[in-house]
Amino acid sequence: MPSKPEHYLPLSTADNGAVDADTSIYGSNIQHPRQAPGRGRRLRIGIWVSLALLISVGFWGYGYRPIRCSSAFRPNSDLQNAAPTVPSLGLKKKIQQGWGPYSPYFPSAKYSTPPVNCDIIQVNLLQRHGARYPTAKASEDIQKSVKKLRKAKHHKHKSVKFLENYKWNLGQDDLVPFGAAQSFEAGWVHFKRYEHLIDEGNLPFVRASGADRVIMSALNWTAGFAAANKQVYTPKLSVIISETANDTLDNAMCPACERSVVDADAWRAKFTVPIEHRLKKTLPGVKLSPSDITNIMSLCAFETVAYEEPSPFCGMFTTHEFQSYEHDEGLKKYYYTGYGNEFGRVQGVGYVNELLARLTGTPVDDHTQTNSTLDLSPETFPLNRTFYADFSHDNTMVAIYGALGLFPQKQAPSNSKIEHHRTWRMSRLVPFSSRMTTEKLQCNVPGGTKDFVRILVNDVVQPLGFCGAGDDGLCELEAFVASQAYARGGGGGDWEKCGTVLQ
């Protein structure tokens, strides 16, 4: 494995100047990143430095500093007309889409403009942080599984020979340069798509949950947004919400919600059998559990997004096996914050009620995850903006999808086979830098105008049948609000069953 490239890396919120002085930080326990092991210097630097150097000093207010960049990323020379390009990872798209929630963002459809008689008058963006290192717990588990591989009697087969000299160089939890690039590009794209909503008095109102990778994703997004308009409109990260307090952008307030792994374990035990048999032949003496195999499969994704080139672990598995891995990840999400857990979708209720408040221009009415101090203040929860951008996590977004009624499942995903036409696919729902966009539209109708809503997930217009939407995905605003009875009712009693929660 090559050493980590000299590249731009996301600044930590622990660095001075990483968060703008005007940002409101709520709660005292904002998370800070850990140093990546094996490095002689702290890995940092928050944004696409080449872009900052080429555009203007407007970036520096966000706390970014330049360092030498490698050839892994070369920004477009014509920044005025072309969007920045996220680095290529050098693997087939089918393989990358087999990584489930660790897949890179890709638009699942071409963006569909609204009907000609409609104008978008408000946008509500919910976006996951960009690609990251594995979490601390996942890092520990993956390294244990890799150690088992290295204990083989020999590593003669070409697909595993790299293990002889393999060294672990990944960090933990933090955004990687590729993830910073994803968020920057998203900001650029969103300005170009919705620039008619933006002027000096109408800049995006931006919030982030308090994890470092989420904060840095929000900052990279604001920088990309500003770069797309040559620094004329420079939104700020206005609110950071601590993940140790009430937070609608993090799913940590329902102690009764436990991960159910029975179905995922059943599927994992089934699909890993032929992989285990094959690896026994190439790695004599190695004994691997089903979880060891999925740990190693995840390392393919984590190293690839970290190094921006294919990890050698990817070559140990087939495209079909990665599809099986994605199904495994989907089962875990379904039974954690998805429809398969009694306390899954209730953890998205708070955000939905905030969304309804913005769409209707009325105060938030919620008694679940919302922070009433923040949501009652026009400084920290304004109701008069045309563009709102919130940055969150994958598990939280799955809960929000459920609270809204998106991606309904007639039956639980199979734990014995892959259903290729399923809609519950994590590479399409919550890849790194995934996004849900709720557009409010004003449409000409007989006798005047009327407000409508449509929702896109990774650019796919969602079929909102629950509020009477047609093929265009448009629901009348009143019908959409009425359809959200579960959220408006505080989760139908589910919240009260969650147990002691933070206040």
Side-chain angles (χ1 to χ4, degrees):
M1 171 63 65
S3 62
K4 197 165 192 50
E6 292 296 321
H7 209 331
Y8 47 89
L9 283 172
L11 265 174
S12 159
T13 53
D15 290 302
N16 293 330
V19 177
D20 191 274
D22 294 334
T23 301
S24 298
I25 304 177
Y26 291 87
S28 59
N29 226 1
I30 301 300
Q31 298 177 20
H32 297 305
R34 301 168 181 82
Q35 182 172 344
R39 301 293 291 162
R41 60 179 175 82
R42 187 182 178 91
L43 297 177
R44 46 187 169 218
I45 302 307
I47 186 62
W48 293 20
V49 177
S50 295
L51 290 168
L53 291 170
L54 287 167
I55 298 170
S56 84
V57 295
F59 278 81
W60 309 132
Y62 294 90
Y64 304 112
R65 301 196 297 269
I67 60 171
R68 179 164 54 92
C69 294
S70 77
S71 60
F73 167 64
R74 295 186 182 278
N76 293 300
S77 58
D78 186 2
L79 293 175
Q80 296 182 9
N81 300 311
T85 303
V86 172
S88 170
L89 298 178
L91 284 171
K92 293 180 180 179
K93 190 175 181 180
K94 283 188 176 181
I95 292 178
Q96 296 182 46
Q97 292 175 359
W99 299 340
Y102 311 128
S103 297
Y105 168 80
F106 60 93
S108 298
K110 182 180 179 181
Y111 176 75
S112 176
T113 57
V116 294
N117 63 316
C118 297
D119 293 318
I120 298 171
I121 59 174
Q122 185 189 95
V123 169
N124 294 270
L125 170 68
L126 176 67
Q127 183 163 316
R128 185 189 178 193
H129 58 77
R132 59 164 171 80
Y133 291 118
T135 62
K137 178 62 168 63
S139 294
E140 180 182 348
D141 292 342
I142 294 169
Q143 289 182 75
K144 288 179 180 178
S145 299
V146 172
K147 285 181 180 178
K148 291 184 180 181
L149 295 180
R150 300 197 68 200
K151 289 180 179 178
K153 294 178 181 178
H154 61 75
H155 303 93
K156 293 182 179 179
H157 193 276
K158 62 180 182 179
S159 67
V160 296
K161 195 168 182 58
F162 73 94
L163 288 168
E164 293 178 357
N165 300 308
Y166 176 77
K167 291 183 179 180
W168 176 272
N169 285 314
L170 296 182
Q172 296 176 1
D173 294 303
D174 297 341
L175 201 67
V176 298
F178 181 84
Q182 290 179 302
S183 302
F184 188 101
E185 182 189 55
W188 183 293
V189 168
H190 287 131
F191 173 77
K192 293 297 185 181
R193 181 174 294 175
Y194 299 113
E195 61 182 303
H196 69 283
L197 297 175
I198 307 302
D199 58 39
E200 290 183 2
N202 280 299
L203 297 181
F205 187 81
V206 184
R207 303 186 304 171
S209 194
D212 189 86
R213 59 186 177 271
V214 182
I215 296 169
M216 295 315 304
S217 293
L219 289 171
N220 277 283
W221 184 89
T222 62
F225 193 97
N229 63 71
K230 306 179 190 178
Q231 313 299 312
V232 175
Y233 306 117
T234 56
K236 297 178 180 179
L237 171 55
S238 296
V239 177
I240 296 172
I241 309 174
S242 169
E243 296 188 349
T244 63
N246 287 34
D247 182 4
T248 57
L249 303 178
D250 183 45
N251 56 293
M253 294 182 60
C254 186
C257 182
E258 298 180 354
R259 295 177 186 267
S260 176
V261 296
V262 174
D263 281 76
D265 284 351
W267 171 246
R268 191 178 305 128
K270 177 182 175 67
F271 93 83
T272 57
V273 169
I275 300 175
E276 182 188 9
H277 289 166
R278 184 179 72 246
L279 292 180
K280 280 183 177 179
K281 295 178 181 178
T282 57
L283 295 165
V286 167
K287 293 182 179 180
L288 298 173
S289 69
S291 292
D292 286 324
I293 291 172
T294 54
N295 286 341
I296 296 162
M297 296 181 84
S298 74
L299 188 52
C300 161
F302 287 124
E303 287 197 339
T304 299
V305 297
Y307 294 109
E308 296 174 16
E309 63 183 34
S311 163
F313 288 98
C314 300
M316 295 173 61
F317 307 99
T318 67
T319 300
H320 178 74
E321 287 166 351
F322 278 116
Q323 291 172 350
S324 296
Y325 172 77
E326 181 188 23
H327 188 50
D328 178 73
E329 289 292 331
L331 285 166
K332 290 195 293 185
K333 288 281 190 284
Y334 183 82
Y335 289 105
Y336 181 35
T337 55
Y339 288 105
N341 191 314
E342 178 185 0
F343 302 109
R345 65 186 190 131
V346 72
Q347 297 181 78
V349 162
Y351 175 84
V352 174
N353 284 326
E354 289 180 332
L355 175 64
L356 295 177
R358 289 167 169 173
L359 291 170
T360 58
T362 58
V364 176
D365 183 6
D366 181 82
H367 302 286
T368 62
Q369 301 102 322
T370 50
N371 184 314
S372 58
T373 301
L374 299 183
D375 284 3
L376 290 175
S377 169
E379 297 298 318
T380 51
F381 198 85
L383 294 172
N384 61 347
R385 299 298 180 94
T386 57
F387 199 126
Y388 300 91
D390 292 321
F391 290 82
S392 183
H393 299 273
D394 55 343
N395 289 324
T396 310
M397 291 181 68
V398 168
I400 290 168
Y401 294 157
L404 284 166
L406 302 181
F407 306 104
Q409 303 296 301
K410 293 181 179 180
Q411 59 188 22
S414 173
N415 64 6
S416 61
K417 62 181 181 180
I418 298 177
E419 297 162 323
H420 291 285
H421 297 292
R422 69 194 186 282
T423 59
W424 195 260
R425 295 183 60 181
M426 295 305 102
S427 66
R428 294 181 180 271
L429 271 66
V430 287
F432 283 134
S433 196
S434 54
R435 54 211 70 163
M436 180 184 82
T437 310
T438 304
E439 298 173 340
K440 181 179 178 181
L441 306 96
Q442 190 173 78
C443 302
N444 294 320
V445 298
T449 61
K450 185 169 286 189
D451 290 342
F452 289 81
V453 171
R454 73 170 183 170
I455 297 177
L456 302 93
V457 175
N458 301 325
D459 281 357
V460 176
V461 176
Q462 297 303 300
L464 306 183
F466 52 74
C467 54
D471 293 340
D472 57 11
L474 295 180
C475 270
E476 291 187 15
L477 175 58
E478 290 183 3
F480 178 76
V481 172
S483 74
Q484 297 304 305
Y486 179 73
R488 290 165 55 229
D494 291 341
W495 184 251
E496 288 72 20
K497 301 174 186 175
C498 272
T500 304
V501 297
L502 302 168
Q503 297 295 333

